[in-house]
Amino acid sequence: MNGNLVRVTIPASTANLGPGFDALGLAFQLYSVVEMKRSEQTTIELVGKELQGTPADKSNLLYQIAAQLFEKAGLPAPELAIRASSDAPLTRGLGSSAAAIVGALVAANQLAGEPFTRDQLFDMATRLEGHPDNVGASMFGGIVVATMPDIADAPIPYIRLSPPAGLQALVVIPEFPLSTEKARNVLPQVYSKQDVVYNVGHSSLLVAALAQGRLDLLGQAMGDRLHQPYRAELVPGLKDILEEATAHGALGAALSGAGPTILCFFSTDEQREELQGFVDRVMNGHGISYRVMTLQPDEHGVQVEIHQT
């Protein structure tokens, strides 16, 4: 494998989908690319404005993760030439760190001679990320339902579902970053029994609705009381969109991961147009700079190409 260049394409993802906190992930057709090959000395090339400001030496996350995989395989950490690009914005709630972890693990695993299975790489990625939702979606594509195991070293249990036909998302990306740490720090340590029961019911209904393609149930099923009400203070416009989007064309709405990106699901052009006008009114009313993307679910997960060099 020494002379080969490994090119890995990784989908961005959203997590939680409202009530599925740290358990539900969905992959999007918005991609990062990691290229990796052995080299005489380590070089890291970061392409595009989304990766500006990330380190270009061995402290880079991609190199760190790759080196860990080689060591876990009982191999010395090699010098690597790494080139990375991303269409997904960083620290906006679209799984950029998960995509980087998955990309680095899958690329390094190829260079190391594939000592680990895809499920083992998912386990590693989950433990590095701390939760399975984003890394599962980036690894396997589609919708991933997963949870941390009760036993420390047990495999991460997960189910992959194909997204319902026609499901699309209007993705509202505010032009400010929000760290996951900050978004987690606003959450309470203790919840009422009423709120816990509410979320168990809604997340269960959401998974069932997604599995059966019941888009008509998404608006009800995506209700959440564990994280979105507390994070709304960090994301101007979120409260309005969560409360009113379904009256303006949305099938359902949610904060994407820890935010600040907001998702509004739809399935027709008419719904999208109505939603766009509604979102513009809300965000402009709060004086927030933002951009909007229309994204389709990704069905394939991480993709690998090997090039002879």
Side-chain angles (χ1 to χ4, degrees), residues 18 21 41 58 67 72 82 87 126 138 142 167 173 180 183 195 221 247 259 268 276 293 300 309:
F21 187 56
Q41 65 180 58
K58 284 186 176 181
K72 196 173 181 71
I82 298 172
D87 292 331
T126 297
S138 283
L167 186 68
I173 308 171
T180 301
D195 286 350
T268 69
Q276 178 78 61
M293 292 180 177
H300 304 293
T309 58

Side-chain angles (χ1 to χ4, degrees), residues 196-264:
V196 171
V197 170
Y198 178 96
N199 263 63
V200 169
H202 282 70
S203 60
S204 300
L205 179 63
L206 177 57
V207 170
L210 290 168
Q212 294 199 351
R214 290 290 303 276
L215 299 182
D216 59 304
L217 291 176
L218 294 189
Q220 287 174 277
M222 289 174 73
D224 162 73
R225 292 184 183 173
L226 293 191
H227 69 106
Q228 291 178 161
Y230 303 98
R231 288 169 167 172
E233 66 188 65
L234 303 176
V235 184
L238 174 62
K239 185 172 185 289
D240 301 331
I241 291 175
L242 291 179
E243 290 177 354
E244 301 171 36
T246 53
H248 296 277
L251 297 167
L255 185 66
S256 183
T261 293
I262 305 166
L263 306 177
C264 297

Side-chain angles (χ1 to χ4, degrees), residues 18-301:
F21 187 56
D22 280 0
L24 280 180
L26 168 67
F28 280 133
Q29 293 180 23
L30 181 70
Y31 298 101
S32 303
V33 176
V34 174
E35 295 178 351
M36 192 179 290
K37 65 178 179 179
R38 294 176 183 269
S39 182
E40 293 297 315
Q41 65 180 58
T42 293
T43 58
I44 297 172
E45 182 185 356
L46 304 168
V47 180
K49 65 182 180 64
E50 301 297 357
L51 297 181
Q52 284 178 5
T54 51
D57 56 25
K58 284 186 176 181
S59 67
N60 184 282
L61 178 66
L62 297 171
Y63 180 83
Q64 292 283 316
I65 299 294
Q68 285 180 40
L69 181 132
F70 274 88
E71 288 162 15
K72 196 173 181 71
L75 301 168
E79 301 292 326
L80 296 170
I82 298 172
R83 186 177 191 270
S85 63
S86 177
D87 292 331
L90 273 61
T91 61
R92 295 293 195 279
L94 287 169
S96 56
S97 66
I101 289 168
V102 168
L105 286 173
V106 171
N109 192 54
Q110 287 286 336
L111 288 180
E114 294 189 270
F116 302 109
T117 66
R118 196 59 64 91
D119 278 4
Q120 288 174 317
L121 295 177
F122 167 57
D123 275 25
M124 290 180 211
T126 297
R127 295 179 203 284
L128 287 162
E129 178 78 346
H131 41 94
D133 40 16
N134 290 106
V135 294
S138 283
M139 186 73 77
F140 302 115
I143 297 162
V144 170
V145 187
T147 190
M148 299 300 284
D150 295 331
I151 301 166
D153 294 326
I156 311 289
Y158 73 93
I159 297 285
R160 183 201 177 279
L161 302 172
S162 290
L167 186 68
Q168 301 177 68
L170 188 74
V171 182
V172 184
I173 308 171
E175 294 290 357
F176 63 87
L178 178 58
S179 74
T180 301
E181 182 182 14
K182 183 177 181 182
R184 284 188 180 264
N185 285 342
V186 299
L187 303 183
Q189 293 297 313
V190 178
Y191 293 93
S192 70
K193 177 182 174 183
Q194 186 180 11
D195 286 350
V196 171
V197 170
Y198 178 96
N199 263 63
V200 169
H202 282 70
S203 60
S204 300
L205 179 63
L206 177 57
V207 170
L210 290 168
Q212 294 199 351
R214 290 290 303 276
L215 299 182
D216 59 304
L217 291 176
L218 294 189
Q220 287 174 277
M222 289 174 73
D224 162 73
R225 292 184 183 173
L226 293 191
H227 69 106
Q228 291 178 161
Y230 303 98
R231 288 169 167 172
E233 66 188 65
L234 303 176
V235 184
L238 174 62
K239 185 172 185 289
D240 301 331
I241 291 175
L242 291 179
E243 290 177 354
E244 301 171 36
T246 53
H248 296 277
L251 297 167
L255 185 66
S256 183
T261 293
I262 305 166
L263 306 177
C264 297
F265 288 105
F266 69 95
S267 61
T268 69
D269 290 342
E270 292 77 18
Q271 289 171 340
R272 189 204 179 283
E273 287 175 21
E274 186 179 358
L275 265 174
Q276 178 78 61
F278 165 66
V279 164
D280 288 344
R281 290 193 299 275
V282 170
M283 300 304 279
N284 291 332
H286 284 275
I288 299 297
S289 297
Y290 65 101
R291 54 181 157 145
V292 169
M293 292 180 177
T294 298
L295 294 180
Q296 324 283 333
D298 169 273
E299 283 270 25
H300 304 293

